[in-house]
Amino acid sequence: NAGVTQTPKFQVLKTGQSMTLQCAQDMNHEYMSWYRQDPGMGLRLIHYSVGAGITDQGEVPNGYNVSRSTTEDFPLRLLSAAPSQTSVYFCASRASGANVLTFGAGSRLTVL
Amino acid sequence: DAKTTQPPSMDCAEGRAANLPCNHSTISGNEYVYWYRQIHSQGPQYIIHGLKNNETNEMASLIITEDRKSSTLILPHATLRDTAVYYCIVRDTNNAGNMLTFGGGTRLMVKP
């Protein structure tokens, strides 16, 4: 049982490049979400999903796309990276009926 | 969701109890109090949660005042590994979303 797995752990992009941050969980959790954390700040919700095929926007969705084709996977796509998207990204999941989040180890993204 | 207020930082001597306060004066009747912590560069980790009664688990104790407007997280015997940012979050468990809102938290420094 690996929990929530995020890849890559580190990534450097140039402005305008695209990439996908991967998130997978093996706990059969229905709810998955992406947060970003800027230096010295708390976490801000980007997008979340309450089940396969269902996604919704969080607090800071602009510049990011998500999809949820399976229960296990919830990738976060940056279509055209900007320096303002330099941050640490955390994926989290929880079971239906519970309100305790399990977080991944994070993906540190730098956009030059 | 009710807003929470926490001191930005606290120090604690190793082996002593760490008492982390949280004010949530606008909490409503169906909202739970959750505590998470984030050790440097890692994903947040769930600690404990409660509604009205005091709660204890293997990690910590949660004391909620009778009027529920504030709470205290207690780490009974703090160790150096408890140095982290501690987040107090108030959340309606009946809400179908996944939108835990993380504020600035309290940076706890456990000193030898």
Side-chain angles (χ1 to χ4, degrees), chain B:
Chain B
D1 294 335
K3 182 180 177 180
T4 62
T5 303
Q6 299 177 253
S9 63
M10 293 181 62
D11 290 343
C12 177
E14 186 179 18
R16 304 298 293 269
N19 297 291
L20 292 92
C22 180
N23 286 325
H24 31 79
S25 58
T26 59
I27 192 170
S28 63
N30 58 348
E31 289 181 314
Y32 282 70
V33 180
Y34 290 82
W35 283 84
Y36 284 76
R37 74 178 181 183
Q38 186 175 23
I39 297 171
H40 181 63
S41 298
Q42 298 181 21
Q45 175 191 25
Y46 165 79
I47 302 173
I48 198 168
H49 74 283
L51 182 63
K52 294 180 182 178
N53 300 322
N54 299 336
E55 302 288 345
T56 295
N57 63 20
E58 65 279 4
M59 291 181 68
S61 295
L62 174 61
I63 308 298
I64 302 174
T65 58
E66 192 170 343
D67 63 7
R68 303 207 324 121
K69 292 185 176 182
S70 65
S71 60
T72 301
L73 179 74
I74 301 172
L75 308 178
H77 305 286
T79 69
L80 298 180
R81 287 181 293 181
D82 291 322
T83 292
V85 178
Y86 288 77
Y87 296 99
C88 169
I89 301 162
V90 173
R91 184 66 182 151
D92 176 1
T93 191
N94 292 321
N95 193 308
N98 205 6
M99 298 171 64
L100 283 182
T101 302
F102 289 76
T106 296
R107 185 173 298 276
L108 175 68
M109 180 72 71
V110 180
K111 299 183 176 181

Side-chain angles (χ1 to χ4, degrees), chain A:
Chain A
N1 189 333
V4 178
T5 303
Q6 292 184 232
T7 56
K9 293 189 184 303
F10 301 94
Q11 183 71 50
V12 178
L13 291 178
K14 294 181 180 178
T15 297
Q17 286 185 316
S18 63
M19 78 156 300
T20 299
L21 298 178
Q22 302 290 346
C23 176
Q25 52 90 10
D26 60 358
M27 299 171 285
N28 203 31
H29 285 175
E30 291 190 4
Y31 297 85
M32 296 186 73
S33 55
W34 277 101
Y35 290 84
R36 64 175 286 176
Q37 186 173 34
D38 299 323
M41 306 284 287
L43 284 79
R44 292 185 293 170
L45 183 69
I46 305 172
H47 285 285
Y48 67 98
S49 168
V50 299
I54 306 169
T55 64
D56 207 344
Q57 296 181 349
E59 181 186 357
V60 287
N62 293 339
Y64 307 95
N65 282 350
V66 292
S67 59
R68 185 91 181 274
S69 56
T70 67
T71 299
E72 294 78 20
D73 300 298
F74 191 44
L76 179 72
R77 296 183 185 84
L78 285 72
L79 299 178
S80 179
S84 61
Q85 294 178 304
T86 293
S87 190
V88 181
Y89 293 83
F90 290 100
C91 180
S93 72
R94 69 173 174 90
S96 174
N99 226 350
V100 174
L101 288 172
T102 300
F103 283 84
S107 297
R108 184 175 297 274
L109 175 67
T110 301
V111 182
L112 303 176

